[in-house]
Amino acid sequence: MRIQRAGDNAHDWELYDGEGRIGIEWYFKETSALPISVMRYHLEPGAEEGQHHHLEGDPDSCSTNSSDEMYIVTQGEVIITAGDDRRVLRAGDAFYAPEGMQHGVRNESDAVAELMLVFGPRGQHPFSQTGAEAFDAEVDR
């Protein structure tokens, strides 16, 4: 049985020319056989990740491999940006950035925010998908 306790693989990191440092915790970074990576972000007020994208072969990409990325807010409030589009996300909200999409996250509130990130290469989903959600994922709600 593998267990990772909070703080076992935590450190602060300055990302993609963002302001401040973000507390990051990787989960089973070196031992998972899943084709994804999972991490937790801890953003103090004013901290930001900075705009970036993941696209293989693009010299401006922050990574050498293409990957999709999902952010899930677990605490507080953040601003997610995708190019010039800005949206407020609160605990329980999520954002999905397909490979190549310019995106970033910033804590503009007065309280700590935490997010879970799941990212990895595109592949076959384990369940059949319709290609559309029951809600309109593009509407600003």
Side-chain angles (χ1 to χ4, degrees):
M1 175 187 307
R2 293 185 194 171
I3 303 270
Q4 182 172 331
R5 302 280 184 202
D8 281 351
N9 194 10
H11 57 282
D12 286 345
W13 206 0
E14 185 177 311
L15 293 169
Y16 319 124
D17 298 321
E19 293 181 25
R21 296 177 71 76
I22 296 176
I24 293 182
E25 173 108 23
W26 287 88
Y27 291 92
F28 300 103
K29 180 181 178 193
E30 303 296 332
T31 60
S32 174
L34 293 170
I36 59 166
S37 292
V38 178
M39 62 173 33
R40 180 177 51 85
Y41 273 11
H42 176 94
L43 288 86
E44 293 290 332
E48 75 173 305
E49 175 185 50
Q51 290 270 332
H52 65 285
H53 67 282
H54 311 272
L55 190 61
E56 184 176 346
D58 184 337
D60 295 326
S61 176
C62 68
S63 56
T64 57
N65 298 321
S66 293
S67 65
D68 288 10
E69 191 164 25
M70 185 183 338
Y71 295 70
I72 305 163
V73 181
T74 58
Q75 178 183 329
E77 174 182 298
V78 295
I79 304 294
I80 286 283
T81 56
D84 293 330
D85 195 7
R86 293 170 41 96
R87 307 276 177 101
V88 175
L89 297 183
R90 294 177 180 87
D93 294 344
F95 168 72
Y96 183 80
E99 63 183 24
M101 174 186 275
Q102 192 79 1
H103 64 281
V105 62
R106 177 178 174 80
N107 182 356
E108 293 183 3
S109 78
D110 294 331
V112 168
E114 290 200 353
L115 300 92
M116 295 301 295
L117 277 73
V118 179
F119 57 97
R122 291 182 172 200
Q124 184 174 352
H125 194 278
F127 303 105
S128 61
Q129 293 187 289
T130 64
E133 301 295 346
F135 57 90
D136 190 342
E138 302 301 320
V139 172
D140 187 14
R141 293 177 276 146

